[in-house]
Amino acid sequence: MKKFLILIIFSALSVCMYAQSCITGENVSVENDHIVLKGVVKVDSVSATTIHDAIIKWISLSYNDPKTVIKSDMPSTIVFEGFLPTSKSDHIARVVFEIKDGRYRWTISDILFYSELIARLGGELKTEIETQPWYTDTSGEERINEVIKRHSEAPCNIIKGINGCIQDDEW
């Protein structure tokens, strides 16, 4: 029983460490007054075609109707718009993948907070996250840390999902 508990604790710690390390302040920028998250993932010895197919597979596994979320599908670029893969599913965004042999760049932009509850109470169904109090009441490094704290789950889930699909294809 002790060994089982230790295994669970180490598994939880490794997940937390991964979540913290897949996005840093370097991945966060503000462009035209909007938050943009960006990163490059290296997948050595993997062709652009394999990466492209893994991204399409991940989108197909993650969304009920992939054709409605995929806005552009070219060999070197994929664009989708939809809910970000988080435990709360309360943000919608545009995600762009730029693909080359051995790596892909992901960019998350146009992030909207989505709340049916707020809409039922007379508010907007979708609002730009830059209008949220946690954003407007902070600045500089504090704001960057808030962005990382609130939005690191989505890129981490995207990267883990795509990398899982790439590994599946290698078998």
Side-chain angles (χ1 to χ4, degrees):
M1 182 68 173
K2 269 186 175 178
K3 289 180 183 179
F4 181 70
L5 288 173
I6 290 172
L7 178 67
I8 290 174
I9 290 169
F10 279 118
S11 297
L13 285 174
S14 66
V15 168
C16 290
M17 286 172 33
Y18 178 80
Q20 291 172 348
S21 66
C22 74
I23 183 171
T24 66
E26 294 176 3
N27 300 106
V28 181
S29 64
V30 177
E31 299 174 12
N32 299 322
D33 296 325
H34 294 285
I35 296 171
V36 177
L37 307 174
K38 292 181 181 182
V40 174
V41 178
K42 293 184 180 181
V43 281
D44 295 331
S45 304
V46 179
S47 71
T49 302
T50 300
I51 295 169
H52 174 276
D53 293 348
I55 293 169
I56 294 297
K57 180 178 179 181
W58 172 78
I59 292 170
S60 297
L61 292 171
S62 301
Y63 296 90
N64 291 334
D65 190 1
K67 290 181 181 181
T68 62
V69 297
I70 296 174
K71 302 303 177 190
S72 176
D73 179 3
M74 297 182 296
S76 62
T77 307
I78 298 171
V79 178
F80 86 86
E81 295 175 0
F83 282 99
L84 292 176
T86 64
S87 56
K88 294 181 182 180
S89 294
D90 59 354
H91 288 85
I92 299 171
R94 176 182 179 85
V95 182
V96 178
F97 297 100
E98 298 167 277
I99 306 159
K100 293 186 176 186
D101 287 335
R103 65 189 187 276
Y104 63 92
R105 179 184 4 237
W106 54 268
T107 303
I108 300 174
S109 62
D110 301 332
I111 306 169
L112 299 173
F113 177 69
Y114 180 90
S115 175
E116 291 181 6
L117 175 61
I118 291 174
R120 283 190 214 126
L121 297 174
E124 294 292 322
L125 179 64
K126 302 175 191 175
T127 56
E128 294 178 343
I129 60 169
E130 294 83 6
T131 63
Q132 301 298 308
W134 67 263
Y135 184 86
T136 58
D137 295 345
T138 61
S139 63
E141 191 172 328
E142 183 184 7
R143 181 180 286 169
I144 297 290
N145 290 335
E146 279 295 317
V147 171
I148 292 168
K149 183 174 94 178
R150 294 171 180 273
H151 297 289
S152 64
E153 184 182 1
C156 294
N157 288 344
I158 291 170
I159 293 165
K160 285 192 303 190
I162 292 169
N163 288 350
C165 290
I166 288 171
Q167 290 172 356
D168 287 349
D169 286 345
E170 290 177 350
W171 288 97

